[in-house]
């Protein structure tokens, strides 16, 4: 004698109660283009953000946002709190990977010209998320209040001075005053755990809402293969996310990122001190600039020119409505230029 | 209009009279009690002399001497201008007398008590004239002591000087003459930082010390000693010559008193030594406590090697052939060695954990306890009682064991956590593999379905 409602497959019991069969058939009705790795970058970026939020919440349980205790509290998280070393390493690595995947996601969209109508708003919210992500990474890098954190804060905010019109304000805003002091730390903490996450949540909601309204499901090339959203696309996205998780865990467990000594504002940083890696191209421009260009201070001129290019980048869907091939090539040129500038800043 | 009442007028007049009296009261200077001459000039209130002077209103000696071409006569005036005695209530007349109202060479009149070169015997009397007068000194500087001249007469230096010894120092030998600075000034030869150099000026000079039958190597020995090295390293508590020998009442400590000199700083060690069998024995044999084992000027950093029967052990200087003292020395030495090794192991364990990125909660506290007990054992060893040493050594050992336990617990937890991380990574890799296979399977099925 057998019980009449025993499921035939594991998980079937739950699926029956959730009515999964109808959900799955609806999801299976959507079709997605079967693309390479680049197509899954949006999902990976979102996954990294979720990991950031989860690990960040755990870190705030022990972190003390005060210049006198910040470094010691991070030392305690890494050296004393159970699993603290893993949580800290995961948060630190996903921060960099998050910014990197934001950049790559944006370049992929640019190269694939997926910003075209009717996806202008997705592009704009995406660019806003990139700016917010860089803000998150920058404010987060200040929090350990180590020598490196201090150098990053000082040089990163120094570069902001050359931005036209708002440079002086941005410089003071990033430092929370004229100099990098304990106020900078308090300022960075507030932005890192409250202001920026709230803004990210808001803009990201818009970004994802737009995706559900007008999903990028139309294959750009007519001969491209399409696959159902469920289960094929879900499983493939699962492979991408699990791959990202394995990479993050491997880096966190095996690649040590020493905290370094506590920040000492009395010690001037080394002449070859670097800003965070996402500011390296600007650092290279400022360092290589001549003293004066067309009557304007050299670095200010070049950073101003870069800002104008940045504005053109933001307005891309309106400048190139049909998505010409030139834009795809420009994206490659921009990517290579940024890499070369970063390498030059490091040398 | 009402006229002011007579009572109010009287009060007002009284107040005016009081105000007028204040400057006069300020200008009163006592006649130096022990000065060789007590003529009228020295007791005249200096502020009442209204002779003009570029330096100050009353000191024509300094203003005139500052313009002289003879260096020997000009230098004292220039030095005086920067000295602690530069005060119109003291002036040059305070020591040399004479008449500062007279702007001519007449100021040097012998009839006014002028004394250009006070003798070796007179100097302590001149200085003591003011510095032993509490009322006078308090008006100038409330913090200055007043007993130096009396103390000096008690010292060996003072006795020799009073007896007319030409080498023994008077006040000016150490403090300077016209350029006297307060002892708190680094420019003063008697400032803490300069005093060893000052004493060695005479005591390391073989010629000067030839008539006194005393050694001249104290300064060199002190420089190499643990005291001298701590002093050179800027330790504000490190002793210099006057810390042990005193300043104005300096007297060489003898066998009976040396423990009290050391005990001024090493109080606990002195008390514990008094309880040891050595205390009585040293007294009977006339041996100097402390010095017998630690030496005096060249006192070395004390270490556990000093106790025991080894070649460097201090005990063997006297007890080479005594069976019982040898046994006690060996027993204490073994206890100290054991404690030292346990403490070193505990410190190494904490260092190892720190290098590995661990912060062992409670370990700094238990290491502090180790250090506190180590300080204590260095004192208790002066009792030469193995049972008392054993009690403190047990404290060291239990604090060291607690440290080891904490470190091992932290290391064990870290190892367990790492295993968990590897397991999580392995599960992640398995999930990746399973999902990849599933994706490939779905691809294959879709292609088969499509074709």
């Amino acid at each position: 004698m057998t019980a009449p409602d025993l499921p035939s497959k594991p998980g079937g019991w739950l699926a029956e109660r959730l009515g999964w069969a109808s959900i799955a058939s609806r999801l299976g009705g959507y079709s997605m283009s079967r693309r390479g790795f680049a197509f899954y970058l949006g999902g990976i970026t979102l996954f990294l953000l979720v990991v950031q939020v989860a690990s960040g919440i755990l870190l705030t349980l022990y972190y003390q946002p005060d210049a006198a205790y910040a470094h010691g509290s991070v030392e305690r998280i890494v050296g004393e709190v159970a699993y603290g070393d893993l949580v800290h390493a995961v948060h630190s690595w996903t921060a960099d990977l998050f910014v990197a995947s934001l950049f790559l996601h944006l370049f992929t969209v640019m190269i694939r010209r997926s910003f075209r109508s009717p996806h202008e708003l997705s592009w704009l919210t995406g660019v806003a998320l990139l700016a917010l992500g860089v803000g998150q990474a920058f404010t987060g890098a200040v929090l350990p209040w180590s020598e490196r954190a201090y150098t990053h804060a000082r040089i990163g905010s120094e570069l902001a001075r050359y931005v036209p019109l708002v440079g002086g304000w941005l410089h003071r805003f990033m430092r929370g005053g004229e100099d990098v002091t304990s106020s900078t730390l308090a300022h960075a903490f507030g932005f890192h755990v409250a202001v920026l996450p709230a803004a990210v949540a808001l803009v990201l909601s818009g970004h994802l809402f737009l995706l559900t309204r007008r999903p990028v499901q139309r294959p750009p090339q007519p001969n491209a293969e399409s696959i159902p959203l469920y289960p094929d696309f879900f499983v493939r996205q699962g492979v991408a996310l699990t791959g990202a998780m394995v990479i993050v865990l491997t880096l966190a467990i095996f690649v040590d990122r020493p905290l370094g000594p506590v920040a000492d504002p009395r010690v001037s940083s080394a002449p070859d001190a670097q800003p965070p890696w996402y500011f390296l191209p600007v650092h290279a421009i400022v360092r290589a600039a001549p003293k004066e260009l067309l009557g304007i201070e050299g670095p200010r001129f070049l950073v101003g020119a870069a800002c104008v290019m940045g504005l053109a980048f933001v307005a891309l869907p309106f400048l190139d409505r049909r998505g010409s091939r030139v834009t795809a090539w420009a994206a490659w040129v921009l990517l290579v230029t940024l890499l070369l500038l970063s390498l030059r800043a490091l040398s | 209009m009402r006229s002011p009442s007579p009572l109010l007028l009287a009060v007002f007049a009284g107040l005016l009279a009081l105000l007028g009296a204040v400057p006069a009261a300020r200008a009163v200077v006592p006649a130096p009690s022990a000065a060789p001459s007590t003529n009228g000039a020295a007791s005249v209130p200096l502020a009442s002399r209204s002779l003009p002077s570029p330096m100050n209103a009353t000191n024509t000696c300094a203003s005139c001497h500052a313009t002289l071409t003879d260096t020997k006569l000009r230098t004292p005036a220039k030095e005086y201008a920067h000295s602690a005695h530069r005060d119109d209530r003291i002036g040059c007349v305070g020591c040399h007398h004479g008449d500062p109202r007279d702007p001519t060479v007449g100021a040097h009149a012998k009839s006014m008590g002028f004394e250009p070169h006070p003798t070796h015997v007179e100097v302590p009397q001149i200085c003591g004239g003011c510095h032993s007068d509490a009322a006078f000194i308090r008006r100038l500087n409330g913090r200055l002591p007043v007993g130096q001249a009396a103390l000096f007469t008690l010292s060996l230096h003072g006795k020799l000087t009073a007896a007319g010894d030409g080498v023994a120092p008077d006040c000016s030998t150490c403090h300077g003459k016209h350029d006297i600075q307060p002892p708190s000034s680094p420019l003063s030869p008697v400032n803490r930082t300069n005093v060893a150099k000052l004493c060695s000026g005479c005591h390391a000079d073989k010629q000067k010390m030839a008539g006194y039958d005393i050694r001249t190597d104290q300064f060199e020995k002190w420089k190499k000693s643990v005291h001298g090295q701590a002093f050179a390293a800027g330790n504000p508590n490190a002793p210099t010559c006057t810390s042990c020998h005193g300043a104005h009442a300096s007297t060489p400590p003898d066998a009976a008193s040396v423990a009290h000199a050391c005990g001024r700083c090493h109080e606990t060690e002195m008390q514990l030594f008094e309880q040891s069998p050595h205390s009585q024995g040293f007294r009977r044999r006339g041996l100097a406590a402390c010095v017998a084992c630690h030496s005096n000027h060249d006192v070395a950093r004390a270490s556990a090697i000093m106790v025991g029967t080894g070649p460097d052990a201090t005990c063997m200087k006297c007890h080479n052939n005594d069976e019982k003292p040898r046994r006690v020395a060996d027993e204490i030495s073994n206890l100290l060695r054991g404690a030292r090794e346990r403490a070193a192991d505990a410190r190494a364990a904490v260092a190892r954990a720190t290098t590995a990125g661990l912060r062992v909660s409670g370990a700094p506290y238990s290491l502090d306890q180790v250090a506190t007990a180590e300080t204590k054992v260095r004192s208790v060893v002066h009792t030469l009682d193995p049972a008392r040493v054993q009690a403190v050594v047990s404290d060291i050992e239990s604090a060291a064991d607690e440290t080891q336990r904490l470190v091992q617990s932290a290391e064990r937890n870290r190892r367990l956590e790492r295993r968990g991380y590897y397991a999580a990574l392995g599960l992640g890799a398995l999930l990746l593999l399973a999902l990849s296979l599933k994706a490939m399977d779905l691809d294959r099925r879709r292609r088969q379905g499509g074709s």
Side-chain angles (χ1 to χ4, degrees), chain A residues 34 72 78-80 82-83 85-86 225 227 232 235-236 238-239 242-243 246 249-250 253-254, chain B residues 357-359 361 414 417-418 421-422 424-425 428-429 431-432 435-436 438-439 442-443 446-447:
Chain A
R34 182 186 174 280
V78 175
E80 195 179 321
Y83 308 106
D85 59 336
L86 184 73
E225 192 185 343
I227 56 169
D232 298 50
V235 171
R236 295 178 77 85
V239 172
T242 318
V246 168
L249 270 181
T250 309
I253 295 172
F254 296 106
Chain B
L358 278 175
R359 253 179 52 146
S361 174
R414 174 54 64 93
E417 282 174 19
R418 295 292 295 189
Y421 302 164
Y422 300 144
L425 187 59
L431 184 63
L432 180 63
L435 283 171
S436 303
K438 178 73 180 170
L442 284 171
D443 262 3
R446 199 176 53 250
R447 286 208 185 96

Side-chain angles (χ1 to χ4, degrees), chain B residues 133-314:
Chain B
D133 187 327
F136 178 70
I137 289 294
R138 291 285 174 270
R139 271 171 46 208
L140 292 170
N141 184 343
R143 286 174 301 173
L144 273 185
V146 286
Q148 305 99 317
L151 288 170
F152 183 70
T153 58
L154 302 173
S155 74
L156 192 56
H157 286 159
K159 287 172 185 160
L160 288 169
T161 302
D165 184 294
V167 178
D170 59 38
C171 312
S172 67
T173 317
C174 299
H175 290 276
K177 295 184 178 99
H178 304 101
D179 56 348
I180 283 182
Q181 299 295 324
S184 58
S185 162
L187 295 173
S188 169
V190 296
N191 180 268
R192 222 186 94 74
T193 52
N194 302 326
V195 81
K197 206 171 155 198
L198 172 75
C199 301
S200 70
C202 295
H203 282 276
D205 187 328
K206 282 186 178 154
Q207 272 184 332
K208 280 186 182 168
M209 292 299 114
Y212 302 99
D213 189 27
I214 53 175
R215 303 174 69 95
T216 52
D217 58 358
Q218 304 95 325
F219 182 55
E220 284 307 313
K221 281 182 168 177
W222 172 81
K223 277 201 292 188
K224 290 177 195 149
S225 75
V226 65
H227 289 156
Q229 283 173 4
F231 188 89
N235 184 333
N237 297 322
T240 180
C241 312
T242 47
S243 313
C244 302
H245 295 280
H248 297 99
S250 60
T251 304
D254 59 16
S257 65
V258 75
H260 299 289
C262 304
R264 284 171 63 186
C265 296
H266 301 281
E267 196 180 342
T268 313
E269 286 76 8
M270 185 187 76
Q271 285 172 359
L272 292 168
F273 175 81
E274 295 292 345
Q275 298 164 20
S276 78
H278 272 167
S279 174
Q280 294 291 330
F282 277 33
R283 213 164 281 149
R284 275 199 305 275
R285 290 177 171 80
L287 287 171
C290 312
V291 174
C293 298
H294 294 281
S295 184
N296 49 7
H297 296 104
D298 53 349
V299 54
R301 180 174 291 281
S303 72
I305 308 171
M306 291 174 69
V307 184
T309 50
D312 299 319
T314 318

Side-chain angles (χ1 to χ4, degrees), chain A residues 125-177:
Chain A
T125 48
V127 172
L129 282 172
L130 175 70
L132 291 172
V134 168
Q136 275 288 43
F138 179 73
T139 51
V142 179
L143 298 187
W145 208 237
S146 61
E147 259 177 18
R148 195 179 54 227
Y150 186 81
T151 309
H152 278 189
R154 202 176 57 75
I155 301 185
S157 54
E158 189 66 31
L159 295 175
R161 278 215 311 195
Y162 299 110
V163 175
L165 304 176
V166 294
W169 173 83
L170 193 59
H171 174 71
R172 278 195 304 281
F173 179 74
M174 286 169 83
R175 292 186 168 188

Side-chain angles (χ1 to χ4, degrees), chain A residues 281-305:
Chain A
V282 188
H283 189 53
I285 288 174
V286 168
R287 278 209 318 190
K291 209 161 183 196
E292 206 180 89
L293 270 170
L294 302 175
I296 303 171
E297 199 186 336
R300 204 174 287 278
F301 183 91
L302 289 181
V303 174

